[in-house]
Amino acid sequence: ETHKNHEKIVEVIVAQRNVKARRAFAALATLCFQLDVLTGGDSELPMPDAGSKGRKGRQNFSASAKTAIRRQVEDMYQQLAAQNQEFDRELRRIFDAFDTRKSGAMSREQLGALMNRISGREFSAEEVSRLYELMDFDGNGMVEYAEMAYVLLHQRAMSEHIDTADVVDKMWRIFPTEPNGEITADGIRATFDRVQLKWDARAVLRLLDEMDVDRNGSISRRELTDFINSLELHRNTFGLLAGT
């Protein structure tokens, strides 16, 4: 009886750690996705018209900028799709099944139902909203297949391997550092605001707080490296998928 109780306690502890690790991994995947958007492609994604926002606070892009964004997202999607053709085909099949109007785009409600199907769990309205805003690159209020597939293919690649050195290099290349050579949440926030890139502020800032082991308000290269390595170790030991 004592042995059984001990096993149950261990199972509960492992389950709790898995939930925490999955959340951290999903936030890390989102951050890495945004780093790749900032550094990927032959040119930067076009910026919205200065001081202009549409309904519900969406960024307004000119017609030419929207065309450029769609082209670049399509290019980034094709690169990832070529590396995981089977998953891309499955995504396309599910997307087409949920695109009942055959418009080539998803509404917020359709995306929520699709994500529930893919992940096997119920996404909250807040999670769907945050994911939808992340995927809607051109700010037109709809998510086209390439936009959705690029994000999910990127998450799938992250679930298989994280290049720690590459993540660290991009972080210190993109974000400003303090005199001590470390990165702060304020510096990251200022950078995303400056380039007007959509980002999941709450998840990323919570992630940075978890990385800050010495609680000095900034992240060192060592803290970031150790944090990623600990997630990799957890995944290899217990199994872990980004975003699930």
Side-chain angles (χ1 to χ4, degrees):
E1 185 68 30
T2 302
H3 179 69
K4 289 182 178 179
N5 289 337
H6 177 72
E7 286 184 340
K8 288 182 180 179
I9 292 173
V10 171
E11 287 177 3
V12 170
I13 292 174
V14 170
Q16 290 174 339
R17 289 181 177 176
N18 280 342
V19 170
K20 183 178 180 180
R22 278 195 292 268
R23 287 174 179 169
F25 199 91
L28 179 63
T30 298
L31 176 61
C32 291
F33 166 77
Q34 289 155 337
L35 293 176
D36 286 346
V37 170
L38 284 170
T39 59
D42 297 327
S43 59
E44 295 182 356
L45 287 172
M47 294 298 103
D49 297 339
S52 177
K53 290 191 176 183
R55 60 189 181 90
K56 296 184 180 181
R58 283 197 193 95
Q59 303 287 9
N60 274 341
F61 291 92
S62 65
S64 60
K66 286 183 179 181
T67 300
I69 289 170
R70 292 191 188 104
R71 184 166 53 246
Q72 187 164 340
V73 170
E74 179 69 28
D75 288 345
M76 294 188 294
Y77 150 67
Q78 291 290 350
Q79 291 175 25
L80 287 178
Q83 300 168 22
N84 201 331
Q85 296 180 18
E86 184 177 348
F87 185 55
D88 179 48
R89 284 194 295 269
E90 180 64 10
L91 282 180
R92 171 59 81 175
R93 184 185 68 78
I94 297 173
F95 182 94
D96 289 343
F98 280 87
D99 180 18
T100 54
R101 296 182 179 180
K102 305 305 175 188
S103 64
M106 289 270 125
S107 68
R108 197 177 299 263
E109 292 73 20
Q110 288 172 317
L111 179 67
L114 183 149
M115 291 306 302
N116 293 342
R117 166 77 175 276
I118 291 176
S119 66
R121 70 176 179 87
E122 192 76 17
F123 269 61
S124 69
E126 181 183 2
E127 286 178 307
V128 172
S129 180
R130 286 155 56 189
L131 188 60
Y132 198 84
E133 291 299 320
L134 182 68
M135 290 178 174
D136 184 16
F137 284 91
D138 59 10
N140 69 349
M142 298 293 288
V143 170
E144 285 80 21
Y145 177 73
E147 293 176 315
M148 182 202 77
Y150 175 54
V151 173
L152 297 183
L153 282 165
H154 190 281
Q155 285 193 341
R156 171 57 67 94
M158 283 284 301
S159 74
E160 296 172 352
H161 174 68
I162 305 175
D163 188 336
T164 304
D166 182 61
V167 175
V168 173
D169 175 68
K170 287 177 179 175
M171 287 279 288
W172 263 259
R173 204 152 31 99
I174 293 172
F175 301 120
T177 57
E178 297 297 299
N180 64 359
E182 299 185 355
I183 290 173
T184 66
D186 287 342
I188 291 176
R189 183 186 292 108
T191 299
F192 281 133
D193 288 347
R194 176 173 54 80
V195 300
Q196 300 185 52
L197 178 69
K198 296 176 181 177
W199 64 300
D200 190 342
R202 193 175 79 171
V204 171
L205 295 179
R206 183 172 57 198
L207 178 70
L208 295 174
D209 184 66
E210 290 185 33
M211 292 180 188
D212 186 13
V213 176
D214 60 13
R215 316 310 297 169
N216 70 340
S218 57
I219 307 301
S220 68
R221 289 175 181 265
R222 172 53 56 190
E223 285 176 321
L224 176 58
T225 300
D226 288 348
F227 184 83
I228 295 176
N229 289 341
S230 70
L231 284 182
E232 287 277 67
L233 177 61
H234 185 99
R235 177 178 58 187
N236 294 336
T237 304
F238 300 105
L240 185 65
L241 288 177
T244 61

